Amino acid sequence: MDHDVNGRLLDRPAIEPPESFVAQANVSDPDVRAAFEREWPDCWAQAGRLLDWERPYDETLAGGAAEPPFEWFAGGRLNASHNCVDRHVDERKNQVAVQWEGRLGETRTYTYLDLYREVNEFAAALRSLGVAAGDVVTLYMPMIPELPVAMLACARLGAVHNVVFAGFSAEALANRMGRAESRFLVTCDGYYRRGAATNQKNKADNARIGLDHEVEATVVVSRLGDETHLGDRQYGYVDLLAAHEGDRVDPVARRAADPLFLIYTSGTTGAPKAVTHTTGGYLAHVAWTARAVLDIKPEDTYWCSADIGWITGHSYVVYGPLALGTTTVLYEGTADHPERDRVWQIIERNAVDVFYTAPTAIRAFMKWGSEYPARNDLSSLRLLGTVGEPINPRVWEWYYTHIGGERCPVVDTWWQTETGAIMVSTLPGADAMKPGSAGMALPGIGARVVDGDGRPTPPGEPGYLVLDRPWPGMPTALATGEGWADSHPWRSADGWQYVAGDEATVDEDGYVTVLGRVDDVINVAGRRFSTMELESSIVEVAGVAEAAVIGGDDRSTGRAVYAYVSPERDCPGDDDLRARIEARVREAIGPMATPEAVVFTPELPKTRSGKIMRRLLEDIANDEPLGDTSALRNPEILGEIESVVREEP
Ligand code: WT7
């Protein structure tokens, strides 16, 4: 098969889903898109029907579709904790809700009844600490069962959770708590990372010192089991549970548009931006996509390997699968510890039906070799999914063949923190797959590829991926139309449009192929960083005059952070400066943001008006011919930078 320079198939054969899959799929009607179109927006009542409403909604979408404000499921009231826990207890109390696979090989099993009890007890504990509806509770924990329990306990009270990825630094935590004015924190003593224990509580304590406001209560889960010093207004998780044993808390009914959670993500500015998701629209959208795209059935064992610290974990480790009443696997460890077949062992041991992961993980599996999956029984698998970045057709085919045994459809799901849930994907029971292409807009979703004037691009021509119709999982700021324009581009020539920040092409069949970000967001191994955020932490380092950060190609992570730094006149660009830059990035953001390469240069390439030309720096990092350099004031610097980069091992 022919591949283009990016490894995409030129002549892409469509692969039909196997008959056996279609026969049992939750959604297999080939007309489902047309049916949604005919009834839009009321088609989304199909998603609303997957939930229990304390008060039924009056309108699927209030406010019309032309411009904000949009209100999904207007008039309806519901509670997410009731939807993810209580209603399943009535039907299947002894079914496993959460299957935890710990870092050291230990396991813990929570049935729906176990989950119900612990969520209630912890909700009672939070309430006694002063948490009430609308309060923001920050959760700073690794992949342990107490994290989903705490999320659901917040939801039960109508409190808004703010999960901060456990790998973020104290400073990044303080920033996110401060901006959210969050006065409650749930964290843990520490956790294991690549065999070593990290001290999470230390980071949490340091964050508290850096805050302008008081933290009313901190709850500490014991993960390491060591004695932890609890200071003033700090409480042990198990002590709280014991004090509230047997307590029950009535779920607080929320309006559909009330916030369920907020999550910080990198935008195009230096500061991380908060994205707030709603209780009704978000939950309906994740439940519907978990059912239609991930084909989840209540009797399944389902595993999404994403960390709950990112949106994928919120939507498809916690809310989607639990709303459908299935068994969700929670894995604390890494894919290659203690062995490179850890993932396949977990699939075999738990007879996992559906596996959802990221291309960066699949590339690693592929590099390690097919002997690792081959020595485990993967025959329980029925469907595979990927998310987070474009998947190269060769990687897709490896996944399809070596993990799915050519028996499982692969869904390549495009969405974002902002969209809350999947927006573009094939429906595995209805659509043919094209490796490397995410697929069509989901039923009821308006996703289009347009040029700079907002006109649809012809098939195969790259353009901007935009969403031109409201969707149930849309974040609050987009729904209300307030406070969004500052942090994200809008193009409104043709009415309402959300510009996703990705470049894409669309083919004759309407299949969307996502090429990558076209804004100042870098996607490294499925994680988002803002170039501005990274640059502002680098220029804080003594001796640094200027910095430009770009996303360059990297064989294993797909993208890597490259920092081009020009030191001050009397500061040498040496290993000491490099070490201080790396340390500062780790401190400001976290180890996952550490640049792959720090390249020193006396000057950065700039236009005559002083704008740094990042495109050219990307070309150098990617070993590509340099684009147009005629706008440069200092074109001679490029040769110098190129020679430094080429010298790097
Ligand atoms: C960005 C959003 C939402 C899941 C995790 C990432 C990229 C996401 C795909 C895909 C190509 C993808 C886009 C998007 N992306 N899924 N299937 N194919 N690219 O969420 O951190 O908000 O990042 O991830 O660039 O804009 P996020």
Side-chain angles (χ1 to χ4, degrees):
M1 245 168 278
D2 288 332
H3 296 84
D4 69 9
V5 285
N6 297 313
R8 291 182 195 99
L9 292 187
L10 290 177
D11 186 16
R12 220 172 260 156
I15 302 175
E16 294 295 334
E19 287 289 330
S20 55
F21 182 89
V22 174
Q24 61 77 58
N26 284 337
V27 174
S28 56
D29 175 8
D31 267 348
V32 56
R33 283 189 174 78
F36 263 69
E37 285 313 308
R38 280 193 300 273
E39 308 232 328
W40 201 89
D42 289 333
C43 53
W44 283 110
Q46 283 202 32
R49 275 197 288 279
L50 295 175
L51 305 179
D52 265 12
W53 296 82
E54 163 121 1
R55 183 192 184 283
Y57 46 89
D58 306 314
E59 258 181 295
T60 314
L61 175 61
E67 60 188 57
F70 306 110
E71 191 180 346
W72 288 93
F73 306 112
R77 288 182 168 269
L78 77 167
N79 180 281
S81 169
H82 166 83
N83 272 281
C84 292
V85 188
D86 303 33
R87 61 173 175 155
H88 309 309
V89 174
D90 301 338
E91 291 162 24
R92 290 167 276 114
K93 61 181 185 308
N94 289 325
Q95 186 194 307
V96 177
V98 177
Q99 175 63 39
W100 182 67
E101 294 278 343
R103 182 81 185 92
L104 307 175
E106 66 278 57
T107 62
R108 256 151 77 185
T109 301
Y110 287 67
T111 63
Y112 273 97
L113 185 60
D114 296 332
L115 188 62
Y116 174 79
R117 288 179 176 145
E118 195 157 323
V119 166
N120 270 281
E121 288 167 1
F122 193 53
L126 287 176
R127 194 174 53 186
S128 74
L129 295 173
V131 175
D135 284 340
V136 178
V137 180
T138 300
L139 309 179
Y140 185 50
M141 284 187 269
M143 293 286 278
I144 52 178
E146 290 82 357
L147 177 52
V149 167
M151 292 163 81
L152 294 164
C154 289
R156 198 164 191 89
L157 297 170
V160 178
H161 58 71
N162 169 30
V163 177
V164 176
F165 175 62
F168 274 119
S169 65
E171 200 174 309
L173 170 65
N175 188 310
R176 285 157 178 76
M177 278 188 83
R179 285 156 41 108
E181 291 177 31
S182 173
R183 294 170 298 118
F184 301 94
L185 174 65
V186 185
T187 185
C188 65
D189 52 353
Y191 64 102
Y192 301 99
R193 201 68 211 153
R194 303 213 164 270
T198 64
N199 192 330
Q200 194 74 352
K201 173 134 187 311
N202 242 346
K203 287 199 285 176
D205 286 339
N206 288 337
R208 221 186 42 243
I209 295 164
L211 277 178
D212 290 336
H213 68 262
E214 288 286 320
V215 174
E216 278 178 37
T218 302
V219 178
V220 183
V221 176
S222 166
R223 167 66 187 105
L224 300 179
D226 304 337
E227 204 49 46
T228 308
H229 170 75
L230 293 174
D232 187 31
R233 288 189 261 183
Q234 300 194 332
Y235 309 86
Y237 181 84
V238 286
D239 305 334
L240 287 174
L241 285 193
H244 291 276
E245 200 186 330
D247 285 7
R248 297 293 177 260
V249 172
D250 284 339
V252 176
R254 303 287 277 163
R255 290 186 312 125
D258 281 341
L260 177 61
F261 64 84
L262 55 93
I263 181 167
Y264 281 87
T265 187
S266 296
T268 53
T269 66
K273 71 171 180 187
V275 176
T276 303
H277 280 294
T278 63
T279 309
Y282 168 84
L283 199 61
H285 193 171
V286 295
W288 193 83
T289 47
R291 188 174 175 280
V293 179
L294 301 175
D295 199 50
I296 293 176
K297 319 237 177 353
E299 58 276 18
D300 281 344
T301 298
Y302 157 87
W303 182 17
C304 167
S305 69
D307 194 291
I308 295 175
W310 314 107
I311 190 72
T312 310
H314 283 63
S315 301
Y316 298 110
V317 177
V318 181
Y319 286 113
L322 294 180
L324 297 181
T326 197
T327 300
T328 185
V329 175
L330 196 66
Y331 177 46
E332 188 192 30
T334 41
D336 57 352
H337 188 89
E339 277 248 47
R340 287 177 165 180
D341 71 343
R342 179 85 168 117
V343 166
W344 320 120
Q345 274 178 14
I346 292 175
I347 290 177
E348 175 175 337
R349 191 168 54 235
N350 294 287
V352 169
D353 300 272
V354 177
F355 181 55
Y356 189 28
T357 193
T360 183
I362 307 169
R363 282 193 299 270
F365 301 146
M366 193 172 152
K367 198 170 74 190
W368 299 337
S370 52
E371 61 269 30
Y372 294 100
R375 62 186 194 209
N376 293 274
D377 179 5
L378 305 181
S379 62
S380 61
L381 289 171
R382 179 176 87 240
L383 176 71
L384 299 172
T386 104
V387 60
E389 46 174 331
I391 181 164
N392 178 298
R394 274 183 47 243
V395 178
W396 192 101
E397 275 160 21
W398 187 91
Y399 194 35
Y400 182 69
T401 308
H402 294 281
I403 308 306
E406 297 184 2
R407 169 189 85 249
C408 307
V410 173
V411 286
D412 174 356
T413 62
W414 178 88
W415 58 292
Q416 308 180 302
T417 306
E418 292 86 339
T419 71
I422 302 169
M423 301 294 277
V424 176
S425 169
T426 52
L427 288 170
D431 300 329
M433 300 165 269
K434 299 188 187 188
S437 170
M440 284 178 269
L442 286 184
I445 296 295
R448 296 202 298 157
V449 178
V450 300
D451 64 19
D453 299 321
R455 279 187 296 263
T457 54
E461 284 287 317
Y464 300 99
L465 181 55
V466 300
L467 302 169
D468 63 359
R469 274 202 305 210
W471 63 95
M474 70 197 314
T476 301
L478 273 187
T480 59
E482 287 159 20
W484 188 267
D486 316 336
S487 56
H488 215 281
W490 276 83
R491 249 163 254 242
S492 51
D494 264 337
W496 190 88
Q497 241 172 37
Y498 162 70
V499 181
D502 280 322
E503 188 177 35
T505 61
V506 61
D507 72 7
E508 283 87 357
D509 300 325
Y511 278 59
V512 175
T513 297
V514 179
L515 305 169
R517 300 289 306 199
V518 277
D519 54 8
D520 293 330
V521 169
I522 320 180
N523 184 334
V524 176
R527 285 173 190 178
R528 264 165 79 158
F529 300 101
S530 128
T531 54
M532 291 263 292
E533 192 180 354
L534 285 156
E535 286 163 12
S536 51
S537 61
I538 293 173
V539 296
E540 282 167 27
V541 175
V544 171
E546 251 191 330
V549 165
I550 57 116
D553 289 346
D554 181 274
R555 228 179 290 280
S556 77
T557 55
R559 311 289 282 166
V561 172
Y562 285 75
Y564 294 86
V565 175
S566 87
E568 278 167 3
R569 193 191 299 267
D570 45 9
C571 177
D574 58 9
D575 286 347
D576 171 63
L577 183 58
R578 180 174 285 116
R580 285 188 291 120
I581 288 170
E582 289 173 359
R584 177 63 200 133
V585 171
R586 276 198 295 275
E587 184 183 59
I589 304 171
M592 65 284 180
T594 313
E596 174 74 19
V598 177
V599 177
F600 293 113
T601 168
E603 275 175 56
L604 294 169
K606 285 191 185 166
T607 61
R608 285 182 191 85
S609 60
K611 203 170 173 303
I612 298 171
M613 288 195 71
R614 288 202 180 73
R615 275 270 177 214
L616 296 171
L617 295 170
E618 280 171 18
D619 291 341
I620 295 175
N622 298 340
D623 216 350
E624 273 166 22
L626 292 181
D628 187 4
T629 59
S630 58
L632 281 187
R633 187 187 58 199
N634 53 352
E636 68 288 347
I637 199 69
L638 290 172
E640 228 174 293
I641 298 177
E642 264 187 308
S643 64
V644 178
V645 172
R646 302 286 171 263
E647 270 169 33
E648 299 265 313

